[in-house]
Amino acid sequence: MIELDPQTREYIKKEFSKLQNPVKIIFFGGDNCQYCHEIKEILNTVKSLAPEGKIIMEEHDFEKERELAESLGIDKYPATVLKAGTKKVYFYGIMSGYEFGSLVEDIIDLSTDEIQLDPETIKFAEKINRDVRLQVFVTPTCPYCPRAVRLAHKLAMVNPKIRADMVEAIEFPDLSNKYMVSGVPKTILTVDGEDVDSIVGAVPEPHFLEWLKKNIRD
Amino acid sequence: MQISLSLGVSGPKAREYDLIIIGGGPAGITAGIYAVRRNLETLIIEKTEMGGTVALISEIENYPGFRRISGKELAEKFHQHAKELGVEFTIEEVTQIIKTENEFKIKTWENEYKAKAVILATGSKHRKLGVPGEEEFIGKGVSYCATCDAPFFKDKIVAIVGGGNTAVKDAKYLSEICSKVYLIHRRDQFRADEIDVEELKKRTNVEFVLNSIVEEIKGDSKVKSILVKNKETGETNEIAIDGIFIDIGEIPNSDLAESLGVELDEKGFIKVNERMETNVPGVYAAGDVTGGLAQIVVAAAEGAIAAVSAYEYIRRPYWANKR
């Protein structure tokens, strides 16, 4: 059962009154899934707080609808994609605890198309023409993590060549082991399919930009 | 199972305020509550998450009114209380504060704000051990945040270094998740509350390694062991572990203060008088950044004093003129 106090509900409703373009929430679940029920509950709650038609929810079965999943770039579940036009951001696993804020803020950014980033960051992100993937590993109890998730997600909103995933580390132990995640947030940078570097901690935007510039060259 | 959901904060409504408070921990939030109740337009700028380091405490048992509460929950209550009273919040990192003739310019990475007075409630950051292997293994077994990283060490062996409240609380928390916990402390007495130390002693999977210091953190792709030296016998032992949590105290976040010309003491804490005034008129400080007893209740009290002093500076009420 999810817990959302009345004040927070009201606050989100107020924030969601700003929504402009519709945002699609596409959820992929399946049988072997610890938190699918809770994730759906979170997503439906968020949808219920938005004005009619501003959030469109789709639910799919990953195993039964593999082709659709692949066409959206989804390779595991539970997965949630937020989509507005060509802009997409990904959540693998539950967006509970502190990550709930990331979900709500992402929806507002996608719908209003207002992305708050330093002009220098935007300039660099817009120019990227290689396939960049940022996987941000988190735990729901980590207060630093949303900062890393949001930064990655905002970059993905600037340029569709950048793909950004929140990954709830505990639900994806094999992936966490592969990237040796034992401290969060940990961001893995993949360029043209090759894992090139990782960074631990919620680093400030200018430092993150330097790190990207160092690792992504034309 | 109940799933809790936490919300961030939306951006501020304005760019000019009476009072800007830097830091959203107990000192900053209490200052905000006192300031808005005196009708000061108030903004709190926090760089991470409301509640500051309080949100990282697994369990709090010494804040009046709450027999036992998680740091996250208390932080949320603080935030909610201030928000309902009209304190504005923003999550941004302040990069510079400039004092002009009548006001302060506060620059963040994203915006520039103006205020008539400033309260620095910037808190502190984790002190590092400074031993070989520490930097190399951050995120690979070396952690400074038990609430963030504990799930990675389920049924594993961990060490905690420190003897204060945070170390002992973290040891309690980790002993419920990990198979074995070593508590390594350089003395044989604890600064932590005795009630918590006594309870920890009863836990069968906790081993106290006292009068001892960690000399090196070793591993390959991740932490495998630590070298621990007993200060009394001079003997060094290697202990196999999967993770190490470092809780050896805090160092003040006083860089912003220093660049503004605020006087610091020899340890880097902001010097304040009993009214929480710094040497720079219009600049106040409260909470862990001023040193002293690093407790939530102390930070809150200092925040209240700082807010009232800032109010007197901004509004010049009759009683302040008499002073």
Side-chain angles (χ1 to χ4, degrees):
Chain A
M1 216 182 86
I2 64 163
E3 241 181 69
L4 191 61
D5 61 78
Q7 291 102 325
T8 309
R9 275 176 196 273
E10 281 313 304
Y11 178 78
I12 298 173
K13 265 191 189 170
K14 204 173 107 208
E15 288 297 301
F16 276 1
S17 66
K18 296 180 202 157
L19 297 185
Q20 291 169 9
N21 304 315
V23 175
K24 214 180 235 188
I25 299 180
I26 309 164
F27 171 73
F28 281 82
D31 295 336
N32 183 19
C33 180
Q34 192 181 356
Y35 293 121
C36 277
H37 176 74
E38 286 81 1
I39 296 170
K40 279 194 273 186
E41 206 182 340
I42 291 171
L43 298 175
N44 280 314
T45 302
V46 165
K47 180 180 182 285
S48 73
L49 299 172
E52 189 66 34
K54 296 293 182 193
I55 293 180
I56 301 151
M57 173 101 178
E58 279 182 19
E59 285 178 32
H60 299 281
D61 186 301
F62 179 81
E63 298 294 354
K64 291 177 188 150
E65 296 168 89
R66 282 250 178 184
E67 264 183 42
L68 178 67
E70 273 170 30
S71 72
L72 284 163
I74 292 168
D75 50 7
K76 53 191 170 287
Y77 73 94
T80 306
V81 190
L82 304 184
K83 191 171 180 289
T86 55
K87 295 182 168 68
K88 285 199 294 271
V89 296
Y90 295 79
F91 290 84
Y92 283 111
I94 192 163
M95 58 298 273
S96 64
Y98 289 109
E99 290 311 326
F100 181 64
S102 301
L103 173 74
V104 171
E105 288 173 14
D106 278 345
I107 291 171
I108 295 168
D109 282 0
L110 282 167
S111 178
T112 58
D113 210 11
E114 280 176 21
I115 301 155
Q116 274 211 346
L117 283 172
D118 190 272
E120 209 191 321
T121 312
I122 294 178
K123 209 168 102 189
F124 176 76
E126 279 173 343
K127 277 199 307 196
I128 290 174
N129 57 13
R130 299 173 71 181
D131 288 318
V132 170
R133 185 172 187 178
L134 294 161
Q135 294 177 82
V136 186
F137 287 82
V138 304
T139 58
T141 49
C142 162
Y144 306 113
C145 292
R147 198 165 160 205
V149 170
R150 287 280 291 143
L151 182 52
H153 278 176
K154 284 185 202 175
L155 287 165
M157 291 178 204
V158 172
N159 182 349
K161 293 291 276 182
I162 306 169
R163 171 191 171 140
D165 308 350
M166 179 213 85
V167 184
E168 202 283 285
I170 309 306
E171 285 171 78
F172 295 95
D174 293 343
L175 201 59
S176 297
N177 279 338
K178 177 185 167 189
Y179 290 116
M180 292 188 297
V181 180
S182 61
V184 286
K186 182 169 184 174
T187 304
I188 312 295
L189 172 64
T190 309
V191 181
D192 293 336
E194 191 188 334
D195 298 330
V196 292
D197 204 0
S198 66
I199 194 164
V200 178
V203 294
E205 188 183 322
H207 300 178
F208 196 79
L209 178 63
E210 284 312 308
W211 178 68
L212 290 179
K213 281 182 177 171
K214 189 184 86 186
N215 286 296
I216 309 169
R217 296 180 201 277
D218 287 334
Chain B
M1 177 181 155
Q2 286 210 320
I3 307 268
S4 82
L5 305 174
S6 303
L7 210 52
V9 291
S10 66
K13 294 193 188 98
R15 291 290 176 270
E16 290 187 29
Y17 290 86
D18 292 321
L19 175 65
I20 286 187
I21 299 162
I22 303 166
I29 290 183
T30 310
I33 290 170
Y34 275 70
V36 290
R37 285 177 51 84
R38 286 176 183 265
N39 268 339
L40 295 181
E41 292 290 332
T42 304
L43 173 70
I44 296 181
I45 306 179
E46 160 63 44
K47 71 172 177 180
T48 320
E49 189 65 39
M50 287 306 155
T53 47
V54 168
L56 304 176
I57 306 171
S58 52
E59 193 178 68
I60 293 159
E61 291 177 287
N62 56 8
Y63 194 77
F66 298 96
R67 173 64 189 86
R68 184 177 288 125
I69 187 166
S70 77
K72 183 169 173 285
E73 202 183 339
L74 187 61
E76 280 168 3
K77 284 184 186 292
F78 282 166
H79 180 203
Q80 193 63 41
H81 182 169
K83 203 165 73 176
E84 281 176 24
L85 285 173
V87 180
E88 289 189 36
F89 291 91
T90 182
I91 299 278
E92 291 179 62
E93 186 171 349
V94 176
T95 54
Q96 199 183 11
I97 307 171
I98 301 163
K99 185 175 167 57
T100 61
E101 204 177 326
N102 303 315
E103 61 187 11
F104 295 90
K105 282 184 186 167
I106 293 107
K107 293 185 176 182
T108 68
W109 294 114
E110 297 94 354
N111 294 303
E112 186 176 309
Y113 299 96
K114 284 180 186 169
K116 292 170 187 151
V118 173
I119 296 177
L120 301 167
T122 43
S124 55
K125 53 179 174 277
H126 308 292
R127 185 184 293 281
K128 291 188 175 178
L129 268 177
V131 298
E134 183 179 16
E135 291 289 337
E136 185 188 343
F137 292 111
I138 289 176
K140 298 169 186 168
V142 171
S143 175
Y144 303 88
C145 177
T147 53
C148 301
D149 299 335
F152 299 111
F153 300 95
K154 192 172 186 289
D155 301 326
K156 293 188 173 171
I157 303 169
V158 298
I160 294 151
V161 190
N165 278 315
T166 309
V168 170
K169 286 278 187 200
D170 281 354
K172 260 172 83 179
Y173 176 56
L174 289 162
S175 71
E176 285 155 18
I177 295 167
C178 305
S179 60
K180 169 100 187 175
V181 172
Y182 292 99
L183 181 60
I184 301 165
H185 182 35
R186 61 185 166 153
R187 305 182 198 285
D188 59 2
Q189 287 179 333
F190 287 87
R191 198 185 273 251
D193 294 345
E194 282 172 30
I195 190 169
D196 289 326
V197 178
E198 289 309 316
E199 199 190 314
L200 195 63
K201 282 180 182 165
K202 291 180 198 152
R203 306 219 169 170
T204 51
N205 63 340
V206 178
E207 186 175 329
F208 286 66
V209 184
L210 303 179
N211 292 315
S212 297
I213 50 171
V214 175
E215 289 200 313
E216 190 179 345
I217 300 166
K218 295 167 74 174
D220 40 42
S221 58
K222 54 185 181 176
V223 169
K224 295 272 188 217
S225 66
I226 44 175
L227 293 183
V228 178
K229 184 181 177 182
N230 185 302
K231 281 165 61 191
E232 289 191 330
T233 62
E235 203 177 300
T236 299
N237 283 316
E238 187 162 0
I239 302 177
I241 54 160
D242 300 297
I244 176 167
F245 289 82
I246 296 164
D247 286 328
I248 54 164
E250 306 288 319
I251 43 177
N253 288 322
S254 50
D255 296 352
L256 272 176
E258 196 175 17
S259 65
L260 184 60
V262 169
E263 230 182 296
L264 309 180
D265 70 12
E266 66 283 358
K267 288 182 175 166
F269 292 103
I270 297 176
K271 277 190 183 176
V272 284
N273 61 16
E274 73 283 357
R275 291 168 40 78
M276 296 292 134
E277 291 168 323
T278 69
N279 61 311
V280 179
V283 179
Y284 304 83
D288 288 1
V289 76
T290 64
L293 189 63
Q295 290 292 303
I296 301 167
V297 73
V298 175
E302 291 183 356
I305 298 168
V308 173
S309 298
Y311 167 77
E312 291 176 0
Y313 173 81
I314 296 166
R315 295 274 194 260
R316 306 269 176 216
Y318 69 91
W319 66 85
N321 291 333
K322 279 185 193 165
R323 185 174 288 124

